[in-house]
Amino acid sequence: ICNERDNLRPLTEQLHAALAESGEDYEIILADDGSRDGSSELLDELAAADPLLRVIHLRRNFGQSAALDAGFQWAEG
């Protein structure tokens, strides 16, 4: 995630809807890749209300590959 504040709530809602249909256990991991638009704060708010949502905060923008790697490292499933 990088500067996607306005899209975060719809994204998590759509992910939950799609993943719940599978009937499988799941977790959602979102990596904040140095956002500066308030995405970081909103991600924390969403994660506080959602036990299936985990947030990783990268200290600056490292790019897609680094964000994906961080997500794989933090995955519990």
Side-chain angles (χ1 to χ4, degrees):
I1 304 295
C2 187
N3 299 326
E4 293 289 341
R5 179 178 170 72
D6 293 341
N7 298 315
L8 295 176
R9 199 172 304 275
L11 172 66
T12 56
E13 290 169 358
Q14 291 176 15
L15 285 170
H16 274 301
L19 293 168
E21 287 183 17
S22 74
E24 300 290 329
D25 292 336
Y26 66 91
E27 64 184 332
I28 298 171
I29 302 172
L30 298 176
D32 176 25
D33 196 18
S35 294
R36 294 182 179 180
D37 69 341
S39 292
S40 181
E41 294 80 8
L42 180 55
L43 286 169
D44 288 341
E45 178 185 319
L46 294 170
D50 184 348
L52 297 176
L53 178 62
R54 300 179 65 204
V55 177
I56 302 165
H57 295 283
L58 302 178
R59 65 182 178 269
R60 65 174 181 83
N61 185 282
F62 287 96
Q64 182 179 4
S65 295
L68 284 169
D69 183 55
F72 288 126
Q73 289 182 31
W74 282 85
E76 293 181 359

